[in-house]
mmCIF file with all atom_site columns, all heavy atoms in Angstrom:
data_model
loop_
_atom_site.group_PDB
_atom_site.id
_atom_site.type_symbol
_atom_site.label_atom_id
_atom_site.label_alt_id
_atom_site.label_comp_id
_atom_site.label_asym_id
_atom_site.label_entity_id
_atom_site.label_seq_id
_atom_site.pdbx_PDB_ins_code
_atom_site.Cartn_x
_atom_site.Cartn_y
_atom_site.Cartn_z
_atom_site.occupancy
_atom_site.B_iso_or_equiv
_atom_site.pdbx_formal_charge
_atom_site.auth_seq_id
_atom_site.auth_comp_id
_atom_site.auth_asym_id
_atom_site.auth_atom_id
_atom_site.pdbx_PDB_model_num
ATOM 1  N N   . VAL A 1 156 ? 46.059 144.155 6.055  1.00 0.00 ? 421 VAL A N   1
ATOM 2  C CA  . VAL A 1 156 ? 45.465 144.809 7.208  1.00 0.00 ? 421 VAL A CA  1
ATOM 3  C C   . VAL A 1 156 ? 44.080 144.207 7.423  1.00 0.00 ? 421 VAL A C   1
ATOM 4  O O   . VAL A 1 156 ? 43.280 144.134 6.474  1.00 0.00 ? 421 VAL A O   1
ATOM 5  C CB  . VAL A 1 156 ? 45.359 146.340 7.007  1.00 0.00 ? 421 VAL A CB  1
ATOM 6  C CG1 . VAL A 1 156 ? 44.666 146.995 8.196  1.00 0.00 ? 421 VAL A CG1 1
ATOM 7  C CG2 . VAL A 1 156 ? 46.742 146.938 6.782  1.00 0.00 ? 421 VAL A CG2 1
ATOM 8  N N   . ALA A 1 157 ? 43.799 143.780 8.650  1.00 0.00 ? 422 ALA A N   1
ATOM 9  C CA  . ALA A 1 157 ? 42.513 143.139 8.975  1.00 0.00 ? 422 ALA A CA  1
ATOM 10 C C   . ALA A 1 157 ? 41.673 144.094 9.812  1.00 0.00 ? 422 ALA A C   1
ATOM 11 O O   . ALA A 1 157 ? 42.149 144.657 10.811 1.00 0.00 ? 422 ALA A O   1
ATOM 12 C CB  . ALA A 1 157 ? 42.749 141.842 9.737  1.00 0.00 ? 422 ALA A CB  1
ATOM 13 N N   . HIS A 1 158 ? 40.409 144.241 9.394  1.00 0.00 ? 423 HIS A N   1
ATOM 14 C CA  . HIS A 1 158 ? 39.461 145.080 10.135 1.00 0.00 ? 423 HIS A CA  1
ATOM 15 C C   . HIS A 1 158 ? 38.071 144.777 9.598  1.00 0.00 ? 423 HIS A C   1
ATOM 16 O O   . HIS A 1 158 ? 37.928 144.170 8.524  1.00 0.00 ? 423 HIS A O   1
ATOM 17 C CB  . HIS A 1 158 ? 39.798 146.570 9.974  1.00 0.00 ? 423 HIS A CB  1
ATOM 18 C CG  . HIS A 1 158 ? 39.229 147.440 11.051 1.00 0.00 ? 423 HIS A CG  1
ATOM 19 N ND1 . HIS A 1 158 ? 37.968 147.984 10.966 1.00 0.00 ? 423 HIS A ND1 1
ATOM 20 C CD2 . HIS A 1 158 ? 39.752 147.845 12.234 1.00 0.00 ? 423 HIS A CD2 1
ATOM 21 C CE1 . HIS A 1 158 ? 37.736 148.706 12.050 1.00 0.00 ? 423 HIS A CE1 1
ATOM 22 N NE2 . HIS A 1 158 ? 38.813 148.639 12.848 1.00 0.00 ? 423 HIS A NE2 1
ATOM 23 N N   . ASP A 1 159 ? 37.039 145.196 10.366 1.00 0.00 ? 424 ASP A N   1
ATOM 24 C CA  . ASP A 1 159 ? 35.683 145.006 9.847  1.00 0.00 ? 424 ASP A CA  1
ATOM 25 C C   . ASP A 1 159 ? 35.440 145.964 8.687  1.00 0.00 ? 424 ASP A C   1
ATOM 26 O O   . ASP A 1 159 ? 36.110 146.991 8.553  1.00 0.00 ? 424 ASP A O   1
ATOM 27 C CB  . ASP A 1 159 ? 34.650 145.216 10.961 1.00 0.00 ? 424 ASP A CB  1
ATOM 28 C CG  . ASP A 1 159 ? 34.706 146.595 11.572 1.00 0.00 ? 424 ASP A CG  1
ATOM 29 O OD1 . ASP A 1 159 ? 34.113 147.523 11.010 1.00 0.00 ? 424 ASP A OD1 1
ATOM 30 O OD2 . ASP A 1 159 ? 35.364 146.731 12.636 1.00 0.00 ? 424 ASP A OD2 1
ATOM 31 N N   . ASP A 1 160 ? 34.449 145.658 7.853  1.00 0.00 ? 425 ASP A N   1
ATOM 32 C CA  . ASP A 1 160 ? 34.243 146.379 6.592  1.00 0.00 ? 425 ASP A CA  1
ATOM 33 C C   . ASP A 1 160 ? 33.458 147.677 6.759  1.00 0.00 ? 425 ASP A C   1
ATOM 34 O O   . ASP A 1 160 ? 33.236 148.388 5.786  1.00 0.00 ? 425 ASP A O   1
ATOM 35 C CB  . ASP A 1 160 ? 33.513 145.460 5.603  1.00 0.00 ? 425 ASP A CB  1
ATOM 36 C CG  . ASP A 1 160 ? 33.721 145.903 4.162  1.00 0.00 ? 425 ASP A CG  1
ATOM 37 O OD1 . ASP A 1 160 ? 34.642 146.706 3.936  1.00 0.00 ? 425 ASP A OD1 1
ATOM 38 O OD2 . ASP A 1 160 ? 32.956 145.467 3.280  1.00 0.00 ? 425 ASP A OD2 1
ATOM 39 N N   . ILE A 1 161 ? 33.006 147.976 7.971  1.00 0.00 ? 426 ILE A N   1
ATOM 40 C CA  . ILE A 1 161 ? 32.249 149.215 8.180  1.00 0.00 ? 426 ILE A CA  1
ATOM 41 C C   . ILE A 1 161 ? 33.208 150.397 8.055  1.00 0.00 ? 426 ILE A C   1
ATOM 42 O O   . ILE A 1 161 ? 34.284 150.393 8.675  1.00 0.00 ? 426 ILE A O   1
ATOM 43 C CB  . ILE A 1 161 ? 31.582 149.210 9.567  1.00 0.00 ? 426 ILE A CB  1
ATOM 44 C CG1 . ILE A 1 161 ? 30.626 148.020 9.669  1.00 0.00 ? 426 ILE A CG1 1
ATOM 45 C CG2 . ILE A 1 161 ? 30.841 150.512 9.822  1.00 0.00 ? 426 ILE A CG2 1
ATOM 46 C CD1 . ILE A 1 161 ? 30.020 147.853 11.046 1.00 0.00 ? 426 ILE A CD1 1
ATOM 47 N N   . PRO A 1 162 ? 32.882 151.404 7.259  1.00 0.00 ? 427 PRO A N   1
ATOM 48 C CA  . PRO A 1 162 ? 33.789 152.561 7.102  1.00 0.00 ? 427 PRO A CA  1
ATOM 49 C C   . PRO A 1 162 ? 34.069 153.233 8.444  1.00 0.00 ? 427 PRO A C   1
ATOM 50 O O   . PRO A 1 162 ? 33.152 153.562 9.190  1.00 0.00 ? 427 PRO A O   1
ATOM 51 C CB  . PRO A 1 162 ? 33.021 153.494 6.160  1.00 0.00 ? 427 PRO A CB  1
ATOM 52 C CG  . PRO A 1 162 ? 32.096 152.590 5.415  1.00 0.00 ? 427 PRO A CG  1
ATOM 53 C CD  . PRO A 1 162 ? 31.704 151.507 6.385  1.00 0.00 ? 427 PRO A CD  1
#
Side-chain angles (χ1 to χ4, degrees):
V421 177
H423 201 272
D424 60 83
D425 202 16
I426 300 174

